[in-house]
Amino acid sequence: MDGVDNSTPPNGADGAPLSGPDLARAALQAAREQSAARRQGAKKKGGKIRPRRRRGWSGPGPDDRDPQPLGRLAARIAAERGWTEHLSGGQVFAKWPALVGADVAEHTKPVTLKDGELTVQAQSTAWATQLRLLQRQILKRISDGVGRDVVRRIKVQGPAAPSWRHGPRHISGRGPRDTYG
């Protein structure tokens, strides 16, 4: 160490070598003196005294190594991977009755959400008209409940009639009606 001779044990007041608890006390006293001398030297040089940092455990404050709630971990993963927009869009579908009210939700359902445009299908043409009239209030409720700019426009569809068109390709013409007779 710093100029300490460890080859012979220190001697007591009577000149006999120390042992046991006396030796431990003498070693502790020598360590305290060295520490005080180092602090005095640092103060004279104008340096800062840095406290030692503990290693191995986090202590009483919050730390990244502490167990985290599952919701916080899921939110962090979603933010890191850019899923927040898709998840907030999914909340529109999940919270639809709470966002628009039970009466409106009973007669309407959200169909798609793409690029900020929510397509909503109404049960009847009267409910489609009602939904078009309530469009501003519904947009405000959605932005308050889910987040701003998740839904920017609402496209309202009336009741859907059955379609004879199946698949991405279609041949124009009368369709299946010309084979009925």
Side-chain angles (χ1 to χ4, degrees), residues 53-59 63 65-66:
R53 185 168 175 228
R54 292 179 126 175
R55 292 177 284 186
W57 58 89
S58 65
D63 192 7
R65 296 174 289 171
D66 291 339

mmCIF file of all heavy atoms in Angstrom, residues 53-59 63 65-66:
data_model
loop_
_atom_site.group_PDB
_atom_site.id
_atom_site.type_symbol
_atom_site.label_atom_id
_atom_site.label_comp_id
_atom_site.label_asym_id
_atom_site.label_seq_id
_atom_site.Cartn_x
_atom_site.Cartn_y
_atom_site.Cartn_z
ATOM 1 N N ARG A 53 -18.985 4.540 -4.685
ATOM 2 C CA ARG A 53 -20.277 4.088 -5.204
ATOM 3 C C ARG A 53 -20.424 2.612 -4.905
ATOM 4 O O ARG A 53 -19.546 1.807 -5.203
ATOM 5 C CB ARG A 53 -20.344 4.319 -6.709
ATOM 6 C CG ARG A 53 -21.691 3.985 -7.257
ATOM 7 C CD ARG A 53 -21.830 4.483 -8.672
ATOM 8 N NE ARG A 53 -23.102 4.019 -9.155
ATOM 9 C CZ ARG A 53 -23.275 3.425 -10.307
ATOM 10 N NH1 ARG A 53 -22.266 3.262 -11.122
ATOM 11 N NH2 ARG A 53 -24.452 3.011 -10.680
ATOM 12 N N ARG A 54 -21.554 2.279 -4.341
ATOM 13 C CA ARG A 54 -21.820 0.877 -4.047
ATOM 14 C C ARG A 54 -22.166 0.135 -5.328
ATOM 15 O O ARG A 54 -22.759 0.693 -6.237
ATOM 16 C CB ARG A 54 -22.982 0.755 -3.083
ATOM 17 C CG ARG A 54 -22.666 1.279 -1.725
ATOM 18 C CD ARG A 54 -23.885 1.128 -0.884
ATOM 19 N NE ARG A 54 -23.515 0.398 0.310
ATOM 20 C CZ ARG A 54 -24.334 0.184 1.306
ATOM 21 N NH1 ARG A 54 -25.563 0.591 1.231
ATOM 22 N NH2 ARG A 54 -23.936 -0.459 2.367
ATOM 23 N N ARG A 55 -21.842 -1.100 -5.358
ATOM 24 C CA ARG A 55 -22.147 -1.924 -6.531
ATOM 25 C C ARG A 55 -22.989 -3.115 -6.108
ATOM 26 O O ARG A 55 -22.881 -3.579 -4.983
ATOM 27 C CB ARG A 55 -20.859 -2.437 -7.168
ATOM 28 C CG ARG A 55 -20.036 -1.348 -7.783
ATOM 29 C CD ARG A 55 -18.784 -1.918 -8.307
ATOM 30 N NE ARG A 55 -17.913 -2.162 -7.153
ATOM 31 C CZ ARG A 55 -16.673 -2.554 -7.214
ATOM 32 N NH1 ARG A 55 -16.133 -2.784 -8.372
ATOM 33 N NH2 ARG A 55 -15.952 -2.733 -6.142
ATOM 34 N N GLY A 56 -23.783 -3.603 -7.036
ATOM 35 C CA GLY A 56 -24.454 -4.870 -6.803
ATOM 36 C C GLY A 56 -25.935 -4.783 -6.510
ATOM 37 O O GLY A 56 -26.663 -5.705 -6.807
ATOM 38 N N TRP A 57 -26.421 -3.710 -5.918
ATOM 39 C CA TRP A 57 -27.840 -3.606 -5.661
ATOM 40 C C TRP A 57 -28.277 -2.177 -5.882
ATOM 41 O O TRP A 57 -27.486 -1.251 -5.882
ATOM 42 C CB TRP A 57 -28.208 -4.092 -4.259
ATOM 43 C CG TRP A 57 -27.506 -3.366 -3.162
ATOM 44 C CD1 TRP A 57 -27.911 -2.239 -2.542
ATOM 45 C CD2 TRP A 57 -26.254 -3.723 -2.562
ATOM 46 N NE1 TRP A 57 -27.018 -1.847 -1.595
ATOM 47 C CE2 TRP A 57 -25.986 -2.754 -1.575
ATOM 48 C CE3 TRP A 57 -25.343 -4.743 -2.739
ATOM 49 C CZ2 TRP A 57 -24.842 -2.788 -0.807
ATOM 50 C CZ3 TRP A 57 -24.210 -4.773 -1.951
ATOM 51 C CH2 TRP A 57 -23.978 -3.809 -0.996
ATOM 52 N N SER A 58 -29.578 -1.987 -6.053
ATOM 53 C CA SER A 58 -30.066 -0.687 -6.471
ATOM 54 C C SER A 58 -30.358 0.254 -5.320
ATOM 55 O O SER A 58 -30.383 1.448 -5.499
ATOM 56 C CB SER A 58 -31.329 -0.862 -7.314
ATOM 57 O OG SER A 58 -32.355 -1.407 -6.525
ATOM 58 N N GLY A 59 -30.632 -0.242 -4.163
ATOM 59 C CA GLY A 59 -30.938 0.624 -3.047
ATOM 60 C C GLY A 59 -32.419 0.948 -2.984
ATOM 61 O O GLY A 59 -33.239 0.347 -3.659
ATOM 62 N N ASP A 63 -35.005 1.873 -9.941
ATOM 63 C CA ASP A 63 -33.870 1.548 -10.790
ATOM 64 C C ASP A 63 -34.369 0.691 -11.944
ATOM 65 O O ASP A 63 -35.390 0.021 -11.838
ATOM 66 C CB ASP A 63 -32.828 0.783 -9.970
ATOM 67 C CG ASP A 63 -31.500 0.649 -10.681
ATOM 68 O OD1 ASP A 63 -31.331 1.249 -11.749
ATOM 69 O OD2 ASP A 63 -30.625 -0.071 -10.169
ATOM 70 N N ARG A 65 -33.151 -1.961 -12.957
ATOM 71 C CA ARG A 65 -32.994 -3.388 -12.645
ATOM 72 C C ARG A 65 -34.108 -3.912 -11.752
ATOM 73 O O ARG A 65 -34.231 -5.103 -11.553
ATOM 74 C CB ARG A 65 -31.651 -3.617 -11.968
ATOM 75 C CG ARG A 65 -30.485 -3.287 -12.883
ATOM 76 C CD ARG A 65 -29.195 -3.392 -12.149
ATOM 77 N NE ARG A 65 -29.109 -2.294 -11.204
ATOM 78 C CZ ARG A 65 -28.173 -2.175 -10.274
ATOM 79 N NH1 ARG A 65 -27.255 -3.095 -10.148
ATOM 80 N NH2 ARG A 65 -28.162 -1.150 -9.459
ATOM 81 N N ASP A 66 -34.932 -3.028 -11.197
ATOM 82 C CA ASP A 66 -36.031 -3.455 -10.341
ATOM 83 C C ASP A 66 -37.110 -4.115 -11.185
ATOM 84 O O ASP A 66 -37.250 -3.825 -12.368
ATOM 85 C CB ASP A 66 -36.639 -2.250 -9.614
ATOM 86 C CG ASP A 66 -35.695 -1.667 -8.581
ATOM 87 O OD1 ASP A 66 -34.785 -2.395 -8.155
ATOM 88 O OD2 ASP A 66 -35.866 -0.495 -8.214
#
